[in-house]
Amino acid sequence: MNNQDILARSLRAVWHPCTQMKQHETLPLVPIARGDGVWLTDFDGRRYLDAVSSWWVNLFGHCNPRINAALKDQLDRLEHVILAGFTHQPVVELSERLSRLSGLGHCFYGSDGASATEIALKMSFHYWRNTGRPQKTRFVSLQNGYHGETVGALSVTDVALFKDTYAPLLRPSAQVPSPDWRLAAAGESARDFALRCAAALRAHLERHHAETAALILEPLVQGAAGMGMHDPEYLRQARALCDEFEVHLIADEIAVGFGRTGTFFAHEQAGIRPDFLCLSKGITGGYLPLSAVLTTEPVYQAFYHDETARGFLHSHSYTGNALACRAALATLDIFEEDGVIEANRAKTAFFNQAAAPLQAHPRVKNFRNRGMIWAFEVAGAAPGFARRFFEAGLQHGLLLRPIGDTVYFMPPYVIGEDEIRMLVAGTLEILEKI
Ligand SMILES: *Cc1c(COP(=O)(O)O)cnc(C)c1O
């Protein structure tokens, strides 16, 4: 196998995600033969630093020896078993541990992030139906929010490029103003802006609470919006308003969970607990597709009944896959054994220091950081900026995928100091060219 061979075969045989395939007439695919830590290597030995954690999923590097070992062990015990009517050790242990970490429970599994969103939306609606409030059928989400791209998840997503084409297929949902600080008035603090957006949420719920089942949001960082960050005060306000108006709060921590924002879960920074917690992406350390929704005892009890139809009759074939659960357990082991949340604080501080020249760069606007996420907008970005930046990144041995004119870093947590320096230096060089 060589680079050219696999590129041609991939273009013939594979329909790549989130891609206008015709663009590959001029933009070559990047073939990857192997991974090691933060590095991806092609068939000719060219290396790329994976600064986006392979679409925000990787936590502890590619081919992590500890996760590999756990998976090899699991492979010889049990790869998968139907989870309806059956159970197994990895799924039980993982559910117990996620429950201890979140204070929620009754872990329901899906395969991808979007399926977790679907599960949370359906469960919320069904809870209200089971408790005599069948008119609560609507959802509210934040402007520029992203919750996945299956039809139900896309209905609460607010990204025009992904949504507009499919609008006739979607259920209408309401969007309220996003507390993303980039949208604040000049001179307005993040907290004041959060309070102003919370007032808009209140106004919406005052009018629509009777038909609203849930508010779904991405706590602290709206990823697909271009790493839009908000003050935790918004989450405290949202929690209080959801309580006041009897609306569920769904925390979509698919991207921000598992330490990404500096705490194990992002919502911890607001001192709140959601009614539903959606997890995926980093849950398996970036190894295998797995998602989970955790909820509260009252929600669970509303489904617990003699009548079958009051149960949550939702399933995916690979629900609770044993290999994926074992990868997740190995990932949680690394968090515990290595004190990852603490260690990442030092890493974040180092990164911020190393990135000072970027922050001071005349074209860099809104330089921001939360936990292991950094982002900034580039002034004077011409059309096609994201693609040209991506291509220049590859030439510098960096895998970076700007969103519009937003450049972001979301590296695996195992990134080292030299690699951080290389990432910053490469980005500065690219900024001179693009
Ligand atoms: C990625 C993402 C999803 C969708 O997850 P998939 O696994 O891509 O379906 C949903 N919500 C958020 C916040 C995400 O970042």
Side-chain angles (χ1 to χ4, degrees):
M1 187 76 71
N2 63 48
N3 278 350
Q4 285 320 310
D5 187 36
I6 195 165
L7 292 187
R9 285 170 55 193
S10 193
L11 288 179
R12 270 196 302 274
V14 183
W15 198 333
H16 292 268
C18 203
T19 299
Q20 169 50 265
M21 290 299 291
K22 192 167 193 292
Q23 79 174 36
H24 283 308
E25 289 179 5
T26 54
L27 177 70
L29 284 164
V30 185
I32 296 301
R34 46 196 312 119
D36 178 20
V38 297
W39 295 99
L40 295 166
T41 307
D42 74 8
F43 292 83
D44 296 337
R46 251 189 101 82
R47 301 204 310 162
Y48 306 98
L49 195 164
D50 186 354
V52 301
S53 294
S54 284
W55 251 351
W56 320 348
V57 300
N58 192 288
L59 302 187
F60 300 122
H62 294 277
C63 292
N64 181 288
R66 289 145 85 182
I67 303 175
N68 284 10
L71 281 175
K72 285 171 187 168
D73 176 72
Q74 186 60 41
L75 210 43
D76 285 329
R77 294 170 190 269
L78 176 69
E79 81 301 339
H80 178 72
V81 63
I82 175 174
L83 199 67
F86 291 76
T87 194
H88 57 82
Q89 194 174 341
V91 79
V92 172
E93 284 181 13
L94 179 60
S95 306
E96 289 173 349
R97 287 174 75 172
L98 291 176
S99 180
R100 278 201 296 277
L101 285 162
S102 64
L104 297 165
H106 307 291
C107 226
F108 196 99
Y109 291 91
S111 315
D112 294 287
S115 58
T117 300
E118 303 282 349
I119 289 161
L121 297 177
K122 283 178 69 178
M123 261 186 193
S124 172
F125 158 79
H126 198 166
Y127 167 89
W128 294 116
R129 188 181 161 86
N130 279 351
T131 55
R133 313 275 289 276
Q135 70 284 8
K136 280 165 109 50
T137 60
R138 312 288 280 202
F139 299 100
V140 56
S141 61
L142 299 189
Q143 174 195 356
N144 304 325
Y146 180 90
H147 303 289
E149 293 166 58
T150 52
V151 171
L154 195 55
S155 292
V156 291
T157 286
D158 183 41
V159 179
L161 182 63
F162 301 146
K163 188 168 189 177
D164 286 358
T165 306
Y166 306 102
L169 303 184
L170 306 179
R171 287 193 85 249
S173 72
Q175 274 71 50
V176 288
S178 164
D180 177 346
W181 194 26
R182 293 174 298 175
L183 305 172
E188 190 175 26
S189 75
R191 190 168 180 282
D192 285 348
F193 185 52
L195 290 170
R196 187 150 67 88
C197 292
L201 174 61
R202 167 179 285 281
H204 177 86
L205 292 179
E206 272 170 356
R207 289 187 54 186
H208 297 290
H209 65 93
E211 67 267 19
T212 302
L215 164 69
I216 181 167
L217 51 72
E218 299 158 86
L220 297 186
V221 183
Q222 290 185 288
M227 305 300 156
M229 300 186 185
H230 58 252
D231 193 282
E233 181 60 25
Y234 185 80
L235 302 175
R236 276 188 287 275
Q237 298 282 330
R239 176 69 276 180
L241 289 168
C242 285
D243 288 341
E244 181 181 341
F245 289 103
E246 293 186 289
V247 165
H248 287 137
L249 177 61
I250 303 173
D252 175 351
E253 297 227 12
I254 290 164
V256 296
F258 295 90
R260 195 40 90 173
T261 66
T263 44
F264 196 81
F265 296 120
H267 66 262
E268 291 169 29
Q269 292 180 47
I272 60 150
R273 190 173 290 167
D275 299 296
F276 298 91
L277 176 62
C278 299
L279 303 172
S280 188
K281 292 206 163 105
I283 191 171
T284 61
Y287 266 65
L288 288 160
L290 181 73
S291 62
V293 178
L294 288 93
T295 188
T296 62
E297 196 58 35
V299 168
Y300 183 74
Q301 289 304 332
F303 290 77
Y304 200 84
H305 200 267
D306 290 327
E307 214 181 299
T308 304
R310 283 182 63 126
F312 191 56
L313 306 186
H314 179 107
S315 61
H316 299 282
S317 310
Y318 282 99
T319 297
N321 175 264
L323 280 168
C325 289
R326 187 65 189 274
L329 288 169
T331 299
L332 292 180
D333 286 344
I334 296 176
F335 270 103
E336 279 182 18
E337 289 162 14
D338 294 5
V340 169
I341 298 294
E342 277 300 308
N344 277 359
R345 273 189 206 129
K347 203 158 276 196
T348 295
F350 178 87
F351 199 122
N352 281 328
Q353 229 172 12
L358 259 180
Q359 186 162 11
H361 192 282
R363 288 183 70 202
V364 169
K365 293 186 301 182
N366 308 325
F367 185 94
R368 54 198 180 276
N369 159 245
R370 189 163 300 262
M372 292 296 285
I373 307 174
W374 290 263
F376 56 88
E377 277 71 54
V378 176
F385 168 83
R387 173 180 162 163
R388 280 180 297 111
F389 199 99
F390 167 73
E391 291 182 283
L394 294 179
Q395 272 148 28
H396 283 80
L398 302 176
L399 166 42
L400 290 166
R401 285 175 54 102
I403 300 170
D405 61 358
T406 303
V407 175
Y408 72 88
F409 308 129
M410 204 153 155
Y413 303 163
V414 295
I415 190 168
E417 296 192 349
D418 286 347
E419 291 155 343
I420 291 171
R421 284 195 201 94
M422 185 194 152
L423 177 56
V424 171
T427 303
L428 282 165
E429 282 174 39
I430 297 166
L431 279 175
E432 296 311 310
K433 296 189 217 161
I434 303 293

